[in-house]
Amino acid sequence: MILAWHQLAAGATAVAVVAWLLRSRWTHTHPRAALVLWQITGLTLIVATIGALLGFGLAPFNRGLLPALFLLPARVGELDVWHFAAVAAGLTLAGWLVVNQVLCLRSTARARARHRLLLQLVARPAPDALEVDHPIAVAYCLPGRTPRIVVSAGARRLLTDTELDAVLAHERAHARERHHLVVAPFQALRRLLPGSALLTRVVATIELLVEMCADDRAARTHGREPLASALERFHAHGVAGTPAGALAVADTPVQARIRRLREPQRSAFPAMWPAACLVVLTALGTSASLFAVPL
Ligand SMILES: [Zn+2]
């Protein structure tokens, strides 16, 4: 049972950090640091949840989690109904998460491949991006091994040259920093539990932070105002739906991003961040190592 309690403690630590992240205001000032903490906290929560279920279920074997799992086929009959249910829940959850992640990655990759093919047919290469001759104003990054930055003729008409440069820098930041890989695990979890309001909020938070990271990168080279006014124009003209698997310039709460670009907060880097990272990493390390400890 000691393994299950350790895993529960690691899980509780991760939940506390999630609650702190959802409440914090500094995350908009330091989105990159917030994303790092979100990623390790999310991983900790998953490992600890599976570990707690298996730790409780396999407790009668008095072994580490992995050694006990190897014993399971031969000694499953020794488990009572509660321990058996916990083991089944832990293994099902682990399998479910892996399969769901693989299916999500595969369906997204297929959607992107279809989209790339479509772009080969309808888009013409311009010096700064692929251009689609369509009146709707849209700009997006289609991620992948060879990312594509796409801009519509409508967006070129809508934006000034300076604004367009800032928007394209934003999209290039998505491609360069591989933001699709940051959001993918969280989006896959949302697909697993589409009715979860908390998960929907978490995914929206992650997506907004990713947009802010790209905004910051674009603002560093092109200034804050061109990107803010471009977002304002996109917003005023309505945003077209983003193709599946793409990251668009103005899909996430635009007002918060415009406000942030125009009125940047100078709040100091949170002193709690290194401590929170250390605590969560310790919880993750403990949680993961308990799988292999031979008791
Ligand atoms: Zn974006």
Side-chain angles (χ1 to χ4, degrees):
M1 280 299 288
I2 191 92
L3 293 183
W5 285 113
H6 270 97
Q7 298 287 6
L8 281 175
T13 304
V15 168
V17 174
V18 165
W20 178 56
L21 282 170
L22 285 174
R23 273 201 328 270
S24 296
R25 304 302 307 160
W26 64 265
T27 54
H28 287 190
T29 317
H30 307 284
R32 204 173 302 272
L35 281 174
V36 169
L37 196 48
W38 267 114
Q39 285 178 300
I40 54 177
T41 305
L43 184 60
T44 304
L45 198 50
I46 286 171
V47 173
T49 303
I50 295 168
L53 286 167
L54 293 181
F56 171 74
L58 298 169
F61 295 164
N62 284 318
R63 304 285 174 95
L65 292 179
L66 281 182
L69 274 174
F70 285 120
L71 285 178
L72 187 63
R75 295 176 55 182
V76 67
E78 297 174 24
L79 298 178
D80 66 20
V81 65
W82 293 109
H83 290 98
F84 179 78
V87 173
L91 292 178
T92 305
L93 179 61
W96 197 26
L97 287 169
V98 171
V99 169
N100 176 64
Q101 193 71 53
V102 169
L103 289 178
C104 275
L105 288 174
R106 205 173 62 172
S107 69
T108 306
R110 281 180 181 165
R112 285 179 187 147
R114 277 197 302 273
H115 194 87
R116 267 194 293 276
L117 199 62
L118 200 63
L119 286 173
Q120 280 178 7
L121 298 173
V122 301
R124 65 179 183 82
D128 52 0
L130 289 175
E131 186 175 318
V132 177
D133 188 16
H134 198 285
I136 290 178
V138 68
Y140 59 87
C141 162
L142 189 67
R145 219 170 297 160
T146 317
R148 309 276 197 278
I149 308 298
V150 183
V151 63
S152 69
R156 283 201 191 278
R157 276 194 292 276
L158 179 70
L159 305 176
T160 66
D161 288 348
T162 324
E163 288 167 345
L164 186 64
D165 286 345
V167 165
L168 295 178
H170 169 102
E171 300 306 339
R172 280 193 290 273
H174 279 317
R176 197 174 304 124
E177 297 182 8
R178 309 244 167 223
H179 286 157
H180 60 294
L181 298 179
V182 176
V183 294
F186 295 95
Q187 289 173 335
L189 274 178
R190 180 178 54 184
R191 196 172 101 154
L192 203 57
L193 298 166
S196 165
L198 176 63
L199 205 47
T200 301
R201 187 176 162 200
V202 168
V203 173
T205 302
I206 304 286
E207 288 173 345
L208 181 57
L209 290 173
V210 159
E211 291 304 321
M212 288 175 170
C213 283
D215 286 347
D216 286 349
R217 184 128 190 166
R220 271 206 292 277
T221 47
H222 295 81
R224 292 178 167 269
E225 183 50 35
L227 186 57
S229 62
L231 287 173
E232 211 164 45
R233 284 182 202 263
F234 272 123
H235 192 50
H237 280 72
V239 179
T242 308
L247 297 163
V249 71
D251 261 3
T252 40
V254 176
Q255 293 299 348
R257 290 169 56 199
I258 295 172
R259 198 166 46 246
R260 179 177 172 275
L261 285 165
R262 290 204 166 130
E263 302 158 25
Q265 302 289 313
R266 302 289 178 204
S267 62
F269 192 80
M272 278 288 288
W273 184 85
C277 280
L278 189 65
V279 167
V280 179
L281 280 173
T282 306
L284 177 60
T286 309
S287 194
S289 65
L290 286 178
F291 275 81
V293 172
L295 291 180

